[in-house]
Amino acid sequence: MHGLVLEGGGAKGSYHIGVYKALKELNVEIGGIAGTSIGALNGAMIVQNDYERCYDLWCDITYSMVADVDDEDIDKIMQLKLVREDLSFLKDKIKVLITGRGLDITPLKGLLDIYIDEEKIRKSKMDFGMVAINLSQRKPLYAFVEDIPAGELKNHLMASAYLPIFKSEKINGERFLDGGFYDNLPFKMLLEKGYKDLILVRTHAMGYTRKIDLPSDVNALLISPSDNIGKSYEYDGNKAKKNIELGYYDGLKAIKGLKGNKYYIHPQGDKDYYFEFLLNIKEEEVREIEKILKLPEIPYRRSLFEHIIPKICSMLSIGKDCSYEELFIYLLEKKAECLNIEKFKVYDFRDLLSLVEDRAINIYKEELGPLDKLIEKVDIIPVLNKENTLLEIADILFRRRDQTK
């Protein structure tokens, strides 16, 4: 059984749901969950076997479902669409917020009443724990569900997610603060329960994440966003859907050992494939790359392995000791992104390579000319000359394959 740890992060928590979707689809058995703040709230719904309801909730999420605010007003602020009349309105709203000592989160409490089922959680066979900070006692509060008095689970979940901007309230006579300010990724809770296989899901939100220093007999799989998942306060259903999709594919990548930075690629099984690919590069192609990189002309295979490959690795910031597989996947991804090839799909390396070749050939048939016209066609304008250079090199390498079929 695996232990699942969900980092706090407000609206970024939609990413958790995508990761869990992948774990569920791949039949990864989860025996326990520990979370902080939104990680605890998501974890509670997973433990009570309401993943689908949680998924739907995130897809429909709005600001007014979390706090007593007007969605249109918040949208104007987020989109920076305020006009002069709005500025005065915003000033009044901020004044009310300050004098009222914080945001009214009555809607969030209402969501817990609707979606959290304490009885289901207590009857679940899964371990479930959360973190909060007890300000009244000036100490952290780590609690598993069995440590929480009957009827108090929702209060503990609220305590774990209680941000300083919320209206100051007491829970059972005491004040609490979001647990993320003490332990935003509480993996040690599951270690103390005896879990040896952990899945840690990051959001990289504001808070304090302790150093992941694990015993030698513990295996940990870290799943982290491969793209921007927005801001912690960005409660928008459309953004949440994108985060769920990203989490799903990042989860697949981590569990299935897929490669890629922005794409999801099954690597070529034969490791010699990439080396043989390099050996088959023609001398005139090497000379062309030398000119692009402004390198001296030496025997072409020496140039390829001693000058060109280290230079490309440096430009890609992947280190001179990277594998040929890493090098080709990095370049292939850049070419695929340039050609606007769908990101959210699992590819075999050769399938993505063929798709890149076919897409490039179709564009060339339209007689667009050199690479800068190709980039213009797909609405990509690299901000650095380095990106242009890497795309030119990728163009030479992956165009060559079509010539040898």
Side-chain angles (χ1 to χ4, degrees):
M1 287 285 192
H2 290 77
L4 178 63
V5 187
L6 303 176
E7 188 170 43
K12 291 173 180 268
S14 51
Y15 180 80
H16 298 154
I17 304 308
V19 173
Y20 185 73
K21 178 184 176 184
L23 299 178
K24 197 169 184 290
E25 186 176 289
L26 297 174
N27 297 316
V28 177
E29 292 189 83
I30 304 298
I33 299 178
T36 299
S37 190
I38 194 63
L41 296 176
N42 282 336
M45 292 197 70
I46 292 170
V47 169
Q48 70 187 38
N49 198 29
D50 275 337
Y51 156 75
E52 287 79 10
R53 290 188 75 204
C54 189
Y55 181 101
D56 291 341
L57 173 60
W58 273 111
C59 291
D60 294 332
I61 198 74
T62 63
Y63 297 98
S64 60
M65 292 169 69
V66 178
D68 186 14
V69 296
D70 186 287
D71 289 316
E72 289 187 10
D73 295 337
I74 297 297
D75 186 60
K76 285 181 180 179
I77 296 169
M78 294 296 291
Q79 300 298 327
L80 297 178
K81 293 179 180 177
L82 295 171
V83 296
R84 185 182 297 274
E85 304 85 67
D86 293 321
L87 293 176
S88 175
F89 171 79
L90 177 60
K91 179 181 177 182
D92 292 340
K93 281 287 186 181
I94 292 174
K95 185 177 180 180
V96 170
L97 177 64
I98 293 172
T99 56
R101 296 185 180 180
L103 284 171
D104 180 352
I105 55 168
T106 299
L108 177 59
K109 296 175 185 175
L111 283 182
L112 265 65
D113 288 336
I114 295 170
Y115 286 94
I116 299 301
D117 189 322
E118 180 170 339
E119 185 178 356
K120 278 187 180 180
I121 292 172
R122 290 190 181 278
K123 287 182 177 179
S124 172
K125 295 180 181 179
M126 296 174 68
D127 293 312
F128 177 52
M130 66 200 77
V131 185
I133 299 173
N134 188 319
L135 290 178
S136 298
Q137 297 184 24
R138 298 183 181 182
K139 67 179 184 180
L141 173 64
Y142 289 91
F144 281 95
V145 66
E146 61 266 27
D147 305 321
I148 299 170
E152 291 295 318
L153 180 60
K154 292 175 189 175
N155 282 339
H156 274 70
L157 289 170
M158 278 303 310
S160 181
Y162 216 95
L163 291 169
I165 62 169
F166 294 164
K167 185 176 290 186
S168 181
E169 297 178 6
K170 290 184 178 181
I171 299 175
N172 293 332
E174 296 183 313
R175 298 191 187 279
F176 292 87
L177 180 64
D178 190 301
F181 291 101
Y182 185 81
D183 191 352
N184 211 22
L185 189 71
F187 58 89
K188 289 187 177 179
M189 293 187 74
L190 295 183
L191 286 181
E192 291 171 2
K193 280 281 187 181
Y195 284 87
K196 299 297 183 182
D197 295 292
L198 299 179
I199 298 172
L200 314 178
V201 184
R202 301 292 312 272
T203 62
H204 300 293
M206 179 182 69
Y208 181 63
T209 299
R210 297 177 180 278
K211 182 180 178 182
I212 302 174
D213 189 11
L214 301 171
S216 58
D217 61 341
V218 172
N219 300 309
L221 182 64
L222 185 66
I223 302 177
S224 184
S226 61
D227 206 346
N228 181 18
I229 58 171
K231 301 176 179 63
S232 296
Y233 51 82
E234 200 170 354
Y235 288 98
D236 175 80
N238 290 326
K239 181 63 178 176
K241 289 174 187 176
K242 292 177 182 177
N243 287 347
I244 290 170
E245 186 171 38
L246 182 69
Y248 171 70
Y249 279 95
D250 284 351
L252 290 181
K253 180 189 289 183
I255 300 296
K256 299 177 76 171
L258 303 178
K259 302 291 184 179
N261 182 36
K262 294 187 175 181
Y263 285 77
Y264 304 88
I265 304 169
H266 280 296
Q268 182 63 32
D270 182 2
K271 298 298 182 182
D272 290 335
Y273 171 84
Y274 305 99
F275 182 64
E276 290 171 1
F277 196 112
L278 288 167
L279 290 179
N280 287 324
I281 294 176
K282 298 175 182 178
E283 181 174 359
E284 57 264 31
E285 293 167 340
V286 172
R287 299 303 178 206
E288 193 176 348
I289 296 173
E290 282 177 338
K291 289 179 182 178
I292 292 171
L293 295 175
K294 296 180 172 57
L295 294 172
E297 187 175 306
I298 61 174
Y300 83 98
R301 281 190 172 160
R302 276 191 56 205
S303 179
L304 179 63
F305 289 99
E306 294 179 19
H307 290 174
I308 292 174
I309 291 175
K311 179 69 174 178
I312 295 173
C313 289
S314 176
M315 294 172 71
L316 289 168
S317 301
I318 55 177
K320 294 180 180 180
D321 58 347
C322 77
S323 68
Y324 297 138
E325 176 184 79
E326 290 176 286
L327 174 64
F328 273 97
I329 287 176
Y330 267 84
L331 287 173
L332 185 60
E333 283 189 298
K334 285 193 172 292
K335 186 70 174 176
E337 187 176 20
C338 174
L339 293 166
N340 281 346
I341 290 173
E342 172 63 33
K343 172 183 174 179
F344 290 119
K345 182 178 177 180
V346 177
Y347 296 95
D348 285 328
F349 178 87
R350 288 191 180 186
D351 290 341
L352 183 56
L353 178 57
S354 295
L355 189 57
V356 163
E357 291 171 344
D358 292 343
R359 183 73 61 86
I361 289 169
N362 288 336
I363 292 176
Y364 289 135
K365 284 180 179 178
E366 296 176 12
E367 299 181 348
L368 293 174
L371 185 67
D372 56 339
K373 296 274 185 77
L374 170 62
I375 294 168
E376 183 180 3
K377 173 69 179 175
V378 295
D379 297 320
I380 293 178
I381 303 176
V383 294
L384 298 175
N385 187 55
K386 179 177 74 172
E387 295 298 309
N388 258 324
T389 301
L390 288 168
L391 283 168
E392 286 188 77
I393 293 169
D395 186 50
I396 293 167
L397 292 176
F398 301 134
R399 189 177 57 207
R400 179 199 66 81
R401 175 181 161 85
D402 185 69
Q403 298 168 354
T404 58
K405 284 182 179 179

